[in-house]
Amino acid sequence: MTTVSRQPGAPAPVAPSGSGTSTGSGAPDPGDRHRLTALQGLAALSLDAMASVAYGPEAIVLVLATAGGHGLGFTLPVTLAIAALLAVLVASYRQVVAAFPDGGGSYAAAKTHLGRRAGLVAAASLVLDYVLNVAVAVTAGVAALTSAFPGLYGDRLWLCLAVLVVVTGVNLRGIVDSARVFIAPTAVFVGAILTLVAVGLFREAPVSTEASAGHASVLADNASTVGALLLLKAFASGCSALTGVEAIANAVPSFRAPRVKRAQHAEVALGALLGVMLIGLSVLISRFGLQPVAGVTVLAQLTDASLGHSWPFYVVQFATMILLALSANTSFGGLPVLMSLLARDNCLPHVFALKADRQVHRHGVLALAVAGAALLVFSGGDTNTLVPLFAIGVFVGFTLCQTGMVVRWRAAGRPAKALLNGFGAVLTGVAAVVVTATKFTEGAWLIVLALPAIVVVFEVVHRAYGRIGENLGLGRVPEPPHRDHSLVIVPVSHLSRLTCEALNAAVSLGDEVRAVTVSHDDPEDRRATEELRRDWELWNPGVDLVELMSPTRTVGRPVAAYVRRVYRYHPGTRVTVLIPEVEPAHVWERLLQNQRGAVLARAVRRETDAVICRLRFRVGARR
């Protein structure tokens, strides 16, 4: 069997860009059944943004509460400012989807319009955000579970890792399967929040305050003024609700044809639902005069006030817990696609560009799972350890994306659109600076160090591929092929059908064939070598048997040394080492093998430039 592989340094093959609807033959693309509809895309790629309504309004309230009751009166204005920024981002990412149908979002926009280095900074910020989102989402969901069942608190790390394994397993089956699994909990959560808002608007006063009864208020009672810095901090904290808005633009290739339109529809639907939920919850906060209390979430208080402390209250809490845990799926939908684009641009190993049959980048999924698990172990499954690091990277990506689109619209002579994106860039840039400054001592300094470190890794990989490509002469027309004398070396240890098959293959491959056997200075080994030589002469295959002496019981080094001698005395010879190996009928039988072929191949590959061919001889029938 002949296999063809891409040489190191060559760009990874990618599908044609655009939103095509068919294959080259005009037939429907069979891979489309493993891609997303607009509704499935909303479920698979927006869980992070949807779940943010559980902590976005609370982040605003907790900041404003430091200014007392007067400060809480600014909850709705701050939320409206965030909703305005959300509208700008959605409009911008709709344009990004159309401009970059191969995906990449902020990375593609920054790289195209601001340069490769800016693109790598945007990519690094997204990588950080996606990895942190996995850890934060899982720990937040498990924290909700342990709040309901305190006896599980001691096992929260194992629960976090179990949830991560489940989400990873679902995504390894393909993004469509994950979308189907997550449609139901997404629909329940969105329906519950919209019901909470709708019912609350008809309430004149809270129907229940049982959830917050007995809990101490965190409202400051000695403040009466609200400064611009406090409002800015509240705005920056509330912008955590915008994380995940970029995921759809990063994963456009995951949608069915026409990909651009489906991705744009999913983006608009996400913006509309998220905006309505954020504004609705903020209106209820002002309507009910809600005050934050220790140990009870703002969403739980709003649910209690609107729906009462009965079964609807527990439905909302349970739906929130499930969606928070599953919102890690946004990262699994967006990051592997981004990593594939970085691999295509030679900034990550090319293995990340490979796709499985179900249109899933499995290596990217597994890499994200490993990074997420490491963060969970580092934090011990504690949400508070990770939250200070969260959402900083995404603002950097937002800002670079918006700035790139400004450059695009100015070059195209579209000042109105440039002004809109410029306004968004200023807002997200300010949010990035404020969040980093306010959380710097709480752990944000790690992000400040990690971001350039990841960019350095991208650059190192890019330079390595550049050196490999230069040595391979990529982009240059090579010399015409010519025929050299070829020698095939076949290591043998005994006579069998495997030996016969190996020599049959060898004489078909090369001009000259030599069999080699490694012997040791031991009476038993000497007898085995003499028996092999005697049987070889009786068989008389027409191939010379060369005996290689080894002072130790190693096999690989003597063969590698023999290959080097061939190169030294016959420099124009093409040497192939053909290693015959048994392919057992059952997987468990591989444990019975001595792995001699693998050891030999590793030694020859490490010490010589010979071509290595491993011949698999199948034993028994496969069932």
Side-chain angles (χ1 to χ4, degrees):
M1 181 179 66
T2 301
T3 59
V4 179
S5 61
R6 180 170 49 83
Q7 294 287 351
V14 293
S17 61
S19 55
T21 59
S22 64
T23 62
S25 62
D29 184 356
D32 251 9
R33 66 190 182 93
H34 296 303
R35 295 191 176 98
L36 301 168
T37 64
L39 179 60
Q40 290 172 338
L42 191 64
L45 300 171
S46 67
L47 295 183
D48 179 19
M50 294 292 187
S52 66
V53 302
Y55 52 78
E58 182 162 11
I60 299 172
V61 168
L62 288 176
V63 172
L64 295 177
T66 58
H70 183 59
L72 291 178
F74 288 87
T75 300
L76 183 57
V78 171
T79 303
L80 290 176
I82 293 173
L85 177 57
L86 172 64
V88 172
L89 289 174
V90 168
S92 176
Y93 278 108
R94 282 189 77 256
Q95 300 297 330
V96 172
V97 167
F100 303 99
D102 284 336
S106 300
Y107 166 61
K111 183 187 73 171
T112 302
H113 301 297
L114 301 178
R116 190 178 67 86
R117 187 65 57 83
L120 294 182
V121 173
S125 68
L126 289 175
V127 169
L128 283 173
D129 183 65
Y130 278 137
V131 173
L132 284 166
N133 174 61
V134 168
V136 170
V138 171
T139 54
V142 171
L145 177 64
T146 56
S147 296
F149 303 97
L152 298 175
Y153 184 79
D155 299 320
R156 64 190 185 281
L157 175 58
W158 294 109
L159 290 172
C160 288
L161 294 175
V163 171
L164 180 60
V165 168
V166 170
V167 176
T168 303
V170 171
N171 278 277
L172 286 175
R173 290 187 54 82
I175 194 168
V176 171
D177 283 357
S178 69
R180 289 170 180 163
V181 170
F182 300 144
I183 281 179
T186 304
V188 170
F189 177 79
V190 173
I193 297 299
L194 293 179
T195 300
L196 182 160
V197 172
V199 173
L201 292 176
F202 289 96
R203 302 283 191 191
E204 293 295 334
V207 67
S208 171
T209 57
E210 185 176 341
S212 58
H215 294 268
S217 174
V218 299
L219 186 68
D221 55 5
N222 56 353
S224 59
T225 59
V226 179
L229 184 60
L230 183 67
L231 292 177
L232 199 60
K233 185 177 179 180
F235 172 81
S237 297
C239 280
S240 60
L242 302 181
T243 58
V245 172
E246 79 291 345
I248 292 174
N250 288 336
V252 178
S254 299
F255 284 84
R256 294 182 185 178
R259 297 173 190 171
V260 168
K261 288 188 179 298
R262 290 184 188 274
Q264 287 179 328
H265 292 163
E267 187 75 54
V268 172
L270 168 61
L273 286 173
L274 183 57
V276 168
M277 289 190 290
L278 288 175
I279 294 174
L281 292 177
S282 295
V283 169
L284 293 187
I285 290 173
S286 301
R287 187 180 188 87
F288 295 143
L290 183 143
Q291 296 183 7
V293 298
V296 181
T297 64
V298 169
L299 183 60
Q301 292 185 67
L302 288 176
T303 306
D304 196 27
S306 180
L307 303 178
H309 206 80
S310 57
W311 66 266
F313 173 85
Y314 293 100
V315 168
V316 174
Q317 300 312 303
F318 186 74
T320 302
M321 177 192 72
I322 295 296
L323 204 71
L324 279 170
L326 298 183
S327 63
N329 194 70
T330 297
S331 296
F332 283 98
L335 183 58
V337 176
L338 175 63
M339 294 177 75
S340 74
L341 295 177
L342 287 165
R344 184 191 66 181
D345 293 338
N346 295 331
C347 295
L348 279 180
H350 288 158
V351 68
F352 290 113
L354 300 179
K355 270 188 178 182
D357 293 338
R358 291 176 173 267
Q359 301 298 312
V360 57
H361 298 281
R362 287 183 176 173
H363 294 90
V365 170
L366 291 174
L368 176 58
V370 170
L375 272 179
L376 290 174
V377 173
F378 166 75
S379 66
D382 182 17
T383 308
N384 293 329
T385 304
L386 297 169
V387 167
L389 311 179
F390 189 48
I392 296 175
V394 72
F395 289 132
V396 176
F398 282 161
T399 304
L400 289 172
C401 180
Q402 297 281 318
T403 305
M405 295 306 290
V406 169
V407 174
R408 178 185 182 88
W409 296 132
R410 292 190 61 177
R414 307 289 293 272
K417 290 190 174 184
L419 181 63
L420 182 66
N421 289 129
F423 178 67
V426 171
L427 290 181
T428 54
V430 168
V433 172
V434 172
V435 172
T436 304
T438 55
K439 296 183 178 181
F440 188 83
T441 57
E442 301 176 31
W445 60 271
L446 285 172
I447 302 299
V448 175
L449 295 178
L451 189 61
I454 294 176
V455 174
V456 169
V457 170
F458 291 157
E459 291 285 12
V460 169
V461 173
H462 189 269
R463 284 197 295 270
Y465 274 127
R467 288 193 300 270
I468 294 172
E470 181 65 26
N471 291 332
L472 292 177
L474 291 178
R476 298 193 297 269
V477 178
E479 297 178 356
H482 61 278
R483 182 179 178 85
D484 291 329
H485 178 74
S486 59
L487 168 64
V488 181
I489 297 174
V490 183
V492 298
S493 58
H494 55 268
L495 290 187
S496 64
R497 287 182 59 194
L498 179 62
T499 308
C500 181
E501 288 293 328
L503 292 185
N504 287 339
V507 297
S508 302
L509 289 174
D511 300 320
E512 181 184 357
V513 177
R514 297 180 194 173
V516 298
T517 184
V518 179
S519 61
H520 312 284
D521 193 14
D522 179 88
E524 183 177 350
D525 290 335
R526 294 298 302 170
R527 284 195 299 271
T529 302
E530 291 171 1
E531 291 175 1
L532 174 62
R533 182 172 292 281
R534 183 182 64 248
D535 294 341
W536 194 273
E537 291 174 353
L538 291 174
W539 182 33
N540 191 20
V543 174
D544 292 337
L545 177 65
V546 179
E547 182 179 346
L548 304 177
M549 292 299 298
S550 174
T552 62
R553 289 190 172 274
T554 59
V555 177
R557 288 183 178 178
V559 175
Y562 181 72
V563 173
R564 291 198 300 272
R565 288 199 298 273
V566 171
Y567 280 133
R568 184 164 60 249
Y569 293 112
H570 306 281
T573 302
R574 298 279 181 174
V575 179
T576 299
V577 179
L578 190 150
I579 305 172
E581 296 178 285
V582 172
E583 180 76 12
H586 305 286
V587 175
W588 68 268
E589 291 177 337
R590 295 180 183 178
L591 299 174
L592 306 179
Q593 296 178 290
N594 58 15
Q595 304 302 320
R596 178 174 176 268
V599 172
L600 181 56
R602 187 161 50 248
V604 174
R605 181 174 59 249
R606 184 175 59 246
E607 300 182 22
T608 76
D609 294 328
V611 176
I612 299 173
C613 178
R614 301 177 71 174
L615 175 68
R616 304 286 186 175
F617 182 75
R618 297 185 178 183
V619 178
R622 289 180 176 269
R623 298 184 183 276

